[in-house]
Amino acid sequence: MALDDFHTFLKSLQPQSLLPSHISKYDYVPLDLSVDNQALKSVDVGSVNELQDYVWNVIRNQNAKVAYGGYLERRGIYQRSDYFNQDDPDKERNIHLGLDLWIEAHTPVYAPLEGTLHSYDNNTNFGDYGPCMILKHQFEDFEFYTLYGHLSIESLEGKQVGEKIEKGQQIATLGTAKVNGAYPPHLHFQIIRDIQNYKGDYPGVSNLIELDFYKENCPDPQLLFNL
C-alpha cells in the first residue's frame, strides 16, 4: 500500500469523535509541549502537578474543554524516565508519535471507527502508557490499527481479544496519574500501519535514528480528525 494512498484513504473517512459528542471542535485548543516552547522553561515538566497546572491553565485561558497536539513534537518530559533515555543522544526517545487529548480523568473514550479488539495490556514502566488498548481496522484493501493509551484500569476489565467494536462504541475511560504512567490525564491516540509483533503496546515515542520509519508507519492522526 503506497503511503500517499493510505493518507488519502484516512482523509476520506468520517470518524466518530474520540471524546463525548457534546464536546465540539470549537472546544479544542492546541497545546505545545515541545522543547521549543519558551513558556515551559519555568515549568518542571517532570512534575505531574506542575505540568497539569500548565495544561489546565491553557484550557481555561482559551475557554476550551480539551487541549490537543503532540504529533512529531520533541519533548523534554521523557527525560525523567530511564525507559526513554539512552547514553547516545540520537537514541534518546523523545519525539512523540501520536495525538494527545488532554482532559479530565474518567472521561469516556469512543471508538472512532468499527473494528475488532486486537490486544490490550497494562504497561507499567514509569512514563509508559499504563492501561492501553489496540483496535484493528479493515476497510477493503486497507488494514491498520489504532492505539489508545493512558486509560483507566477498569477499561481493560472484561475485554476479549477479537471482540467486535462498533463505531461510536465507548471502549474506555481515561486514567489518573496513579495508573497512566504518571502524567496529567489524557488520551494518547496513534495510527499504526504495521503492528509488527506488538500486543497491547507499541512505541509512542521515537528517537532520531528510527524517526523516518515511524513517520511512515504512524501517520499524523490529524489526517483522520482534522482538528
Side-chain angles (χ1 to χ4, degrees), residues 19-169:
L19 300 180
S21 59
H22 67 83
I23 301 175
S24 75
K25 286 189 175 182
Y26 300 104
D27 293 319
Y28 287 71
V29 60
L31 178 69
D32 180 1
L33 294 182
S34 74
V35 295
D36 299 319
N37 183 359
Q38 295 300 310
L40 287 177
K41 300 301 182 183
S42 60
V43 177
D44 178 4
V45 296
S47 164
V48 174
N49 290 335
E50 284 199 35
L51 183 60
Q52 179 165 296
D53 286 345
Y54 177 81
V55 172
W56 287 177
N57 282 334
V58 169
I59 293 173
R60 281 194 297 265
N61 290 341
Q62 298 295 322
N63 294 316
K65 295 179 181 177
V66 187
Y68 74 93
Y71 184 67
L72 300 188
E73 203 169 63
R74 188 163 66 92
R75 295 173 168 177
I77 188 173
Y78 307 114
Q79 292 178 349
R80 64 184 180 148
S81 173
D82 292 338
Y83 183 62
F84 298 97
N85 282 322
Q86 301 284 339
D87 293 334
D88 184 345
D90 288 338
K91 293 181 179 179
E92 180 183 347
R93 296 169 57 218
N94 60 9
I95 303 171
H96 191 252
L97 298 172
L99 170 72
D100 281 340
L101 300 179
W102 303 83
I103 192 171
E104 292 86 356
H106 313 299
T107 298
V109 177
Y110 299 88
L113 303 164
E114 66 179 56
T116 57
L117 180 57
H118 171 267
S119 55
Y120 59 93
D121 202 358
N122 188 6
N123 302 278
T124 57
N125 296 299
F126 180 55
D128 207 338
Y129 289 127
C132 178
M133 189 180 306
I134 298 174
L135 303 186
K136 178 180 178 179
H137 308 278
Q138 181 77 50
F139 294 92
E140 299 178 355
D141 295 332
F142 295 95
E143 179 181 288
F144 64 101
Y145 302 81
T146 53
L147 180 149
Y148 310 79
H150 310 299
L151 308 176
S152 66
I153 291 176
E154 293 78 12
S155 298
L156 305 185
E157 295 177 353
K159 293 295 191 293
Q160 293 185 350
V161 170
E163 69 177 90
K164 175 71 174 177
I165 303 294
E166 301 293 341
K167 178 180 177 179
Q169 176 182 334

Side-chain angles (χ1 to χ4, degrees), residues 1-10 142 144 191 193 219:
M1 181 200 322
L3 184 59
D4 287 346
D5 290 342
F6 185 56
H7 286 182
T8 300
F9 163 72
L10 289 176
F142 295 95
F144 64 101
I191 300 172
R193 298 176 70 197

